[in-house]
Amino acid sequence: MGTWIINGRVPVRGQNELATRHLFIEDGKIAAIGSDVPDTNGHEVIDAKGKLVSAGFIDMHVHLREPGFEYKETIATGTRSAARGGYTTIACMPNTRPVIDKVETVKYVLDKAEKEGIVRVLPYGCISKNQLGRELTDFAALKEAGVVGFTDDGVGVQSAQMMKDAMALAASMNMPVIAHCEDNTLVEGGAVSEGEFARKHGLKGIPNESEAIHVGRDILLAEATGVHYHVCHVSAEQSVRLIRHGKQFGIKVTSEVCPHHLLLSDEDIPGVDDANWKMNPPLRTPKDVEAVIAGLEDGTIDIIVTDHAPHSEEEKARGLQMAPFGIVGFETAFPLLYTKFVRTGRWTLEFLLDRMTSKPAELFGLPWGVLEVGREADLTLIDLDAEKAVEPSEFLSKGRNTPFTGWKLYGWPSLTMVGGKTVWSE
Ligand code: DOR
Ligand code: ZN
Ligand code: ZN
């Protein structure tokens, strides 16, 4: 017995339109995609009723918090939240407790994901032991254990020499280095970006250069070592410029952007009490927002990620200055971008979907992210036409920390399938 998903709509390549298609799924794989009304006799039938059928989303930057911070999120809750957002593959950051800097911790995460997770979980390993930036981890052993790249996300690698050594080693084993770009000497306790909001409230601002200096430094080191260097959560106009320049020179640099940096600036922050507007890197100026959008549009920025970063209500109630950095992202990413960029006519649906599916797969050499016969049936059904407000109490994530509460959006996922198995439905 297989499964028919009938009456779905899929984007037609190169044309800004959708076509009705019926998909047959067998043995976990997409076995047929056709336009003729199928004979579904003897098979399970899912009627998509005109909903969009997309390859499942791939998020290469998420925080699942396990092990160590289970009060914020677990692999069980984080993967459910991801599935509800239409994600079928997620790559998790190693700033857990303990950090993912040893084979046993990689194994722990993979084992938990296998037993309790409902989407594919790909762990990253740390660049440095304990993420202290002093000593490299055992890259070969971590690769062998199953990490998909090396990163100290949460903190920047402060030493240029350490970053160069990490890149040379990663390059020798054909692995990417993924960088949270932040020069600590330029940050010193800032909670928001330098800009209108910081000036108005007399706060110390985090300057764009704290990010861009690392981007520029690392692009030169990537050129010297030949590594695939991937820049995390680009937020500053200067970073976009440097990455564009690096790509023009044929340097292997790729990058990602988060929905919040495409949609919000520091001028949107309602006040100093609401830490749901605090994340790292911070919301920048409207000029930076335009620059990251332009960077995504011209291919300087390759993919969209959430940087899903759940924290407890108590932690986020400490106000802008004291609360930890981070907002949740899985359950709002697609509706936000679809509503604000596709429905407004700025992007085609295909453009958005590519940056959440096939492009991340291509960048990191993953076998998912494309809806075609023979591929594993990782997919999501999305209602493009019903409007609904963002309601954090409905989130499957333990985190409720979002600045998008109450936003009226279109494009809500209704069913998510991984390897032919429905893992979440409305
Ligand atoms: O906002 C952020 N939250 N930025 C980071 O770099 C770390 C992350 C977290 O772990 O909470
Ligand atoms: Zn980061
Ligand atoms: Zn992160």
Side-chain angles (χ1 to χ4, degrees):
M1 195 183 88
T3 303
W4 276 102
I5 300 178
I6 58 168
N7 303 320
R9 289 191 300 159
V10 303
V12 185
R13 280 271 145 212
Q15 276 153 43
N16 194 12
E17 60 180 35
L18 295 167
T20 297
R21 290 287 181 272
H22 314 289
L23 281 78
F24 187 54
I25 292 154
E26 200 170 32
D27 299 328
K29 295 208 155 99
I30 301 172
I33 304 178
S35 51
D36 296 343
V37 177
D39 177 8
T40 58
N41 219 337
H43 299 294
E44 180 197 5
V45 177
I46 296 170
D47 190 348
K49 294 186 184 150
K51 291 197 182 80
L52 171 72
V53 181
S54 168
F57 303 147
I58 298 177
D59 192 342
M60 294 308 296
H61 188 143
V62 320
H63 297 267
L64 294 179
R65 306 301 191 203
E66 201 171 354
F69 298 103
E70 288 83 359
Y71 68 94
K72 297 178 197 261
E73 192 81 290
T74 63
I75 288 168
T77 59
T79 57
R80 274 159 186 80
S81 173
R84 184 166 183 263
Y87 290 90
T88 52
T89 296
I90 58 181
C92 62
M93 288 300 174
N95 62 338
T96 47
R97 188 180 60 203
V99 299
I100 307 177
D101 63 354
K102 287 191 189 72
V103 167
E104 56 178 302
T105 323
V106 178
K107 293 220 163 106
Y108 178 85
V109 169
L110 287 173
D111 184 55
K112 274 256 162 177
E114 172 78 33
K115 289 190 183 126
E116 295 165 21
I118 63 166
V119 303
R120 302 180 200 277
V121 174
L122 313 174
Y124 287 116
C126 293
I127 289 173
S128 67
K129 290 184 182 165
N130 261 312
Q131 293 196 320
L132 290 173
R134 298 207 190 108
E135 204 184 333
L136 290 184
T137 57
D138 186 343
F139 280 22
L142 290 173
K143 179 185 178 183
E144 173 72 24
V147 305
V148 292
F150 299 101
T151 179
D152 273 357
D153 184 55
V155 289
V157 175
Q158 300 303 306
S159 152
Q161 183 64 57
M162 161 127 299
M163 191 51 137
K164 190 175 183 185
D165 291 345
M167 286 182 175
L169 188 55
S172 76
M173 50 186 75
N174 205 14
M175 290 285 276
V177 165
I178 291 91
H180 170 111
C181 290
E182 185 174 19
D183 183 312
N184 291 346
T185 64
L186 291 169
V187 177
E188 283 177 63
V192 294
S193 186
E194 257 179 19
E196 256 326 287
F197 184 87
R199 269 192 291 280
K200 206 164 87 190
H201 294 274
L203 297 172
K204 203 192 155 320
I206 302 171
N208 282 16
E209 307 85 72
S210 66
E211 172 180 295
I213 278 175
H214 268 209
V215 174
R217 177 198 78 177
D218 291 354
I219 288 173
L220 294 172
L221 297 175
E223 181 180 23
T225 56
V227 77
H228 170 199
Y229 169 62
H230 181 79
V231 185
C232 287
H233 40 51
V234 175
S235 69
E237 180 265 331
Q238 294 89 332
S239 306
V240 178
R241 242 194 289 145
L242 289 164
I243 296 164
R244 187 175 289 130
H245 186 260
K247 283 192 169 184
Q248 278 163 5
F249 267 72
I251 299 165
K252 258 192 272 168
V253 52
T254 61
S255 63
E256 62 184 37
V257 65
C258 307
H260 45 277
H261 292 124
L262 292 164
L263 288 164
L264 304 174
S265 78
D266 66 325
E267 295 179 18
D268 298 312
I269 305 174
V272 292
D273 295 330
D274 193 346
N276 289 330
W277 298 74
K278 178 177 181 178
M279 71 293 285
N280 189 10
L283 299 174
R284 302 290 188 183
T285 68
K287 187 167 157 244
D288 294 297
V289 174
E290 260 318 306
V292 292
I293 295 171
L296 185 66
E297 289 173 348
D298 74 9
T300 300
I301 299 176
D302 301 84
I303 62 171
I304 297 166
V305 302
T306 63
D307 198 4
H308 178 82
H311 293 290
S312 72
E313 302 226 21
E314 185 274 314
E315 287 169 314
K316 277 303 207 181
R318 293 175 196 162
L320 211 50
Q321 197 60 48
M322 298 307 291
F325 290 97
I327 61 170
V328 291
F330 289 139
E331 294 171 71
T332 51
F334 183 82
L336 282 169
L337 299 172
Y338 172 70
T339 305
K340 299 299 173 184
F341 290 102
V342 178
R343 276 185 91 94
T344 56
R346 184 157 178 165
W347 300 344
T348 64
L349 179 58
E350 188 184 356
F351 176 90
L352 172 58
L353 291 174
D354 280 354
R355 277 138 194 90
M356 297 178 71
T357 58
S358 56
K359 294 235 178 237
E362 195 185 306
L363 238 55
F364 291 91
L366 308 174
W368 311 290
V370 183
L371 199 69
E372 66 185 12
V373 172
R375 299 272 188 159
E376 283 183 269
D378 286 16
L379 49 89
T380 182
L381 267 52
I382 295 171
D383 187 345
L384 295 177
D385 299 317
E387 194 190 34
K388 203 176 72 121
V390 174
E391 179 42 75
S393 67
E394 292 174 1
F395 288 171
L396 296 182
S397 170
K398 285 192 184 183
R400 300 284 185 265
N401 45 316
T402 175
F404 298 111
T405 300
W407 283 40
K408 290 210 171 73
L409 304 174
Y410 296 88
W412 296 94
S414 67
L415 183 146
T416 300
M417 193 178 259
V418 177
K421 189 172 157 248
T422 299
V423 294
W424 172 80
S425 79
E426 210 176 4

